[in-house]
Amino acid sequence: MSDATASLSRYWLRDNCPCTECRNPRNGQKLFQVTELPEELAIAATTELHGHLEVLWNDGHRSRYPLPWLAAGKTAEAENAAENAAVNGNEDEDDRRTEAGKRRWQAADFAAGLPEANWAQYLAEPAERAAVLRAVLRLGFAVLREVPTTPRQVLDVVASFGHPRVTNYGELFDVRVEPDPNNLAFTSAAIAPHTDNPYRDPVPTLQVLHCLENAAVGGDSGLVDGFRAAELLREQAPEEFAVLTRTLVPFVFRDRATELRADRPLIELDPLGRIREVRLNNRSIGRLHLPAAELDAFYAAYRTFAAITLRPELRLEFRLGAGDCLIFDNTRLLHARTAFEPGDTAQHREGRGGRHLQGCYADLDSLASTLAVLERRAAALDELQRLFEGEGAAEYLGEQVTQAEHMLQAAALAQRDGAPDHLVAAALLHDVGHFTGALTGRQLMLGQDNHHSEAGADWLAQWFGPEVTEPVRLHVAAKRYLCSVEPAYREQLSEASAYTLRVQGGPLDAEQAAAFAELPGATDAVAVRRWDDRAKAADADTPPFEHFRELLAALMAR
Amino acid sequence: MSDATASLSRYWLRDNCPCTECRNPRNGQKLFQVTELPEELAIAATTELHGHLEVLWNDGHRSRYPLPWLAAGKTAEAENAAENAAVNGNEDEDDRRTEAGKRRWQAADFAAGLPEANWAQYLAEPAERAAVLRAVLRLGFAVLREVPTTPRQVLDVVASFGHPRVTNYGELFDVRVEPDPNNLAFTSAAIAPHTDNPYRDPVPTLQVLHCLENAAVGGDSGLVDGFRAAELLREQAPEEFAVLTRTLVPFVFRDRATELRADRPLIELDPLGRIREVRLNNRSIGRLHLPAAELDAFYAAYRTFAAITLRPELRLEFRLGAGDCLIFDNTRLLHARTAFEPGDTAQHREGRGGRHLQGCYADLDSLASTLAVLERRAAALDELQRLFEGEGAAEYLGEQVTQAEHMLQAAALAQRDGAPDHLVAAALLHDVGHFTGALTGRQLMLGQDNHHSEAGADWLAQWFGPEVTEPVRLHVAAKRYLCSVEPAYREQLSEASAYTLRVQGGPLDAEQAAAFAELPGATDAVAVRRWDDRAKAADADTPPFEHFRELLAALMAR
């Protein structure tokens, strides 16, 4: 066993084999069962090659691990920390839903303003949207401003990061004074800091409240960081904290069509003992069935915790006005409101003097996914920019222009010809496989086909749809096709292109050409090919990569 | 302090005060904060009255507790156990989501057949529906047969007990061979027992799979009780079990639009150490970051657990045919399928030789609520039947007929007059408040208004909508109204009715009568009143209570 693997767990290593037999290359899902591995798994031999470690296992399987990936515990842990740091700013945390993945706060931390964004900007700018979603994950909330005060608009807000969680209150619910309320929320009474729906399991992990109108006197909003409150309880009264983490509290809600019950602790810990969820809702705590001494201990701890959540320094107070939309983590933040003057019914009917929010529940997992995808796309654009400015600017594959200039020119030509955005992008990115494949463009020029169209298309498929990737995939075949069907085309190929044509297999024969013409992306690929061929002028118009960045971002989100 | 309260926890007792100042009578939600109770809460005095204990607290508040409710720890625990037994068959369990609320099984337990029901019967018969939902909660699954093989029908199945949980796979997903699958499910490969979406948090707690077609060779279904498997692991290798409960496993799923990750243990315990959730999905376990020794311990335990889930005696095998719909608990049951011959694409297009399921995720909480409501309704019908056959059959409030005969006659008259169902029900139930209120009909006959119309309507509102309760509420007012506007009406009142008219306040004056006529339910209440007045014949047609049971059940579900 080599030094590189001596300190590694064998089953772990094998379970992470990245080969296409073990793992679906498209989504990374494993294709074998852990039970299918030999009882006595061992490493028979290892070789280092091309920056990879090749491992031969005692069952004959071969795995290839990139060396940086492999560089064992320390590096792996560091990578993991870096990944998390991107979302959490926390360096030693894996489960982002616990206290370790959160920035705990008190009211004064927002003296300079709330985490907020303008709705139009949030929609238009991925970075702005990412900042809002990151605030919800790290701080527990964010506010969108100038959201149109159209009824049901709250569903559009939810659709921007996830899916509504439908409950007995409906897909969305109206928070306003109701004549026959089945919940205190639908009155004008003050409501102390609480989490919603504790009687649901799974509890809705997000809540979105969109203010359509707030002309009431009173009716201000309050937020308390429940993790911070729990942390204070742990510092101040560790035994009471422990009582609340182990006492199952029956949360109940009942009306004619509903009878919900969940037995959960007020403070839920993860298996490592970290605060992971808070449920606090005085209204819906049912009858506990415990010996009197345990009831006394629970009620003492519960009262201490509830009192902490009422500390003025913990309570962030603000007012939601028409068009404001509050998104918050319902497993962590407690929300509250002050009492208000409801106005009379006539006023309500005319839309004057009332307070009307529309609410919707949703879940943190989709929101975190949306954020991760936004971050991945931003990282991909940065990486593309680095390729264009780094390797791409240095490579001259036998032409008068660098690779980067060549691709930028192709895209500029496409744009000048009025091509749709996805073909501009395909023209821009058609040769990206020279840098992302296992073999580089230099190796192509040395006579070994690097299959850069395939490699590029596969790499791009992480972010772009087939309308971009398929013309890239077929742009070499398009050259071979055109050489076959247009004798004049072959004549005008650059010297380098004529050379690589041979490495790539030469012109298609008649049957191959007919098959190519049948492919769904053939026309697009031929179009890209023609811009490709024209984009080799030393003195041509060459816009910078930034010029295309927004277009690429929009295509990624399509 | 009285003996009755000496052994009780004071804050617990006060927190459960049932008075309308402390609790919304409609939904039982509390109207005060636990922090608002005095620091030194104490009982100043207690009195027993009318089967209740009245407690005077040191802050001046008075609470009245029914004695049976109060009879302290033992009774309370017994009641709780009885409540749970109704759902679980388990006597000492509160949280129904843990192993203690489940009947664990192995394949042989279903030698006599699966828990199943015919779709039409499931829809038509509340008891059949309750049995199916109870099976899902206790056993983890049930099968519906003869569900129409219409696309999207699975959403109707979900709507019968809850709401779909939308995921990245959509509101529903098609399980069939896809040309470019982003998940192994969408191929024809065998899939080992697993839970779905472990990378979601909250994980969808229910899955519904509706078979539209299964003409494939192979493609059989398998289910394994994951709680049973975990229990076996605990018996066989307690240390490995412990490792799986405390190791956070990164479950990941990634495609172009999605990047989900949840860090959760394979076996999740509740705060009391009971098995509560199982997540097992080899395909989506990402790279763990732990010291090598911990990785070795995890992989050893994981392999042992996975091997247990493959034991043939644990695996229930069956075949879903067209029209079958499987509902199962995704936090507990592992599902699997055998490989199948996919057939060619042309066959698929023609709907021959293929396998096509439509799936949808949903949640256990709504399903449990639906079951609880069905059980509550059945219990209410039983209670009504007992009232009609017990107290109702014994009471003669100055008439020639018993109370039960009187109400049955009123309903029969309504039915003969072609009244809509809700008025037949209102006629049947109009005097139920004589038995359910604080004061009985006997007290009314002794000259004390028992406000039985109010008491009855409030009691009925637990199950029936206003179309039933409001005519009941107004039927005494309708008598006073008719006496005011129809002099002949007063003449024909029975002697007892004329007597109670005086106790109830006499005829309405002109202004009151005009106001009554304006009420939304006035016409219905007058109609009920007229059947009421005619339903006092010793020899009249008197159907039994069962005659109306189905009609009542349908109105409850409206």
Side-chain angles (χ1 to χ4, degrees), chain B residues 452-463:
Chain B
H452 74 283
S453 61
E454 285 290 336
D458 285 348
W459 189 75
L460 292 169
Q462 297 174 86
W463 304 288

Side-chain angles (χ1 to χ4, degrees), chain A residues 15 27 32 182 282 285 299, chain B residues 15 27 30 32 182 282 299:
Chain A
D15 198 39
N27 57 34
F32 64 96
N182 71 344
N282 176 75
I285 293 185
Y299 270 94
Chain B
D15 197 40
N27 57 32
K30 274 170 210 162
F32 64 98
N182 71 344
N282 177 74
Y299 269 94

Side-chain angles (χ1 to χ4, degrees), chain A residues 118-389:
Chain A
N118 170 281
W119 170 245
Q121 239 178 324
Y122 167 90
L123 286 182
E125 295 169 27
E128 193 76 2
R129 196 187 303 196
V132 167
L133 304 183
R134 206 176 291 118
V136 175
L137 292 181
R138 290 203 59 205
L139 301 169
F141 75 106
V143 179
L144 294 171
R145 307 288 190 188
E146 296 177 55
V147 180
T149 55
T150 318
R152 305 183 65 77
Q153 175 74 29
V154 68
L155 295 175
D156 286 2
V157 175
V158 170
S160 75
F161 58 73
H163 315 285
R165 174 95 77 85
V166 184
T167 70
N168 50 305
Y169 301 107
E171 187 182 29
L172 59 75
F173 49 92
D174 287 281
V175 184
R176 62 182 164 194
V177 177
E178 296 281 355
D180 185 21
N182 71 344
N183 192 302
L184 194 61
F186 312 138
T187 70
S188 63
I191 305 187
H194 67 286
T195 63
D196 265 20
N197 277 252
Y199 35 76
R200 283 211 172 262
D201 184 13
V203 75
T205 53
L206 275 177
Q207 185 169 171
V208 184
L209 287 172
H210 177 218
C211 183
L212 294 175
E213 181 193 9
N214 193 1
V217 177
D220 289 357
S221 298
L223 287 176
V224 173
D225 183 351
F227 281 15
R228 177 76 187 128
E231 190 177 46
L232 287 168
L233 178 67
R234 183 170 54 194
E235 285 165 24
Q236 173 188 322
E239 190 39 50
E240 293 194 336
F241 176 84
V243 165
L244 296 190
T245 65
R246 67 178 181 240
T247 306
L248 298 183
V249 177
F251 290 101
V252 292
F253 180 82
R254 179 181 166 146
D255 66 15
R256 192 159 82 79
T258 315
E259 179 133 0
L260 288 159
R261 172 176 172 150
D263 296 83
R264 305 297 289 150
L266 296 191
I267 301 172
E268 187 178 332
L269 304 182
D270 86 340
L272 307 184
R274 300 173 297 191
I275 299 165
R276 200 174 195 277
E277 278 191 25
V278 166
R279 294 191 186 215
L280 187 71
N281 189 321
N282 176 75
R283 277 171 284 159
S284 47
I285 293 185
R287 183 168 55 163
L288 283 87
H289 294 286
L290 290 171
E294 287 181 39
L295 288 173
D296 283 342
F298 167 75
Y299 270 94
Y302 168 33
R303 280 166 48 80
T304 307
F305 184 42
I308 291 173
T309 68
L310 296 179
R311 288 187 192 167
E313 68 270 25
L314 291 192
R315 178 161 170 156
L316 177 65
E317 295 254 16
F318 55 96
R319 187 174 174 82
L320 289 180
D324 292 339
C325 184
L326 173 66
I327 307 169
F328 64 95
D329 179 347
N330 188 50
T331 67
R332 174 186 172 196
L333 257 57
L334 314 175
H335 63 295
R337 72 152 185 244
T338 60
F340 60 94
E341 292 289 335
D344 63 30
T345 315
Q347 273 183 318
H348 279 167
R349 273 197 218 105
E350 293 163 30
R352 287 184 297 106
R355 183 179 188 270
H356 184 190
L357 312 184
Q358 283 194 324
C360 182
Y361 297 110
D363 283 304
L364 281 164
D365 52 6
S366 291
L367 184 145
S369 169
T370 302
L371 174 59
V373 170
L374 287 172
E375 288 177 336
R376 195 214 289 167
R377 287 175 186 159
L381 289 172
D382 290 345
E383 189 173 348
L384 282 171
Q385 184 146 4
R386 269 196 306 276
L387 283 178
F388 274 80
E389 291 168 1

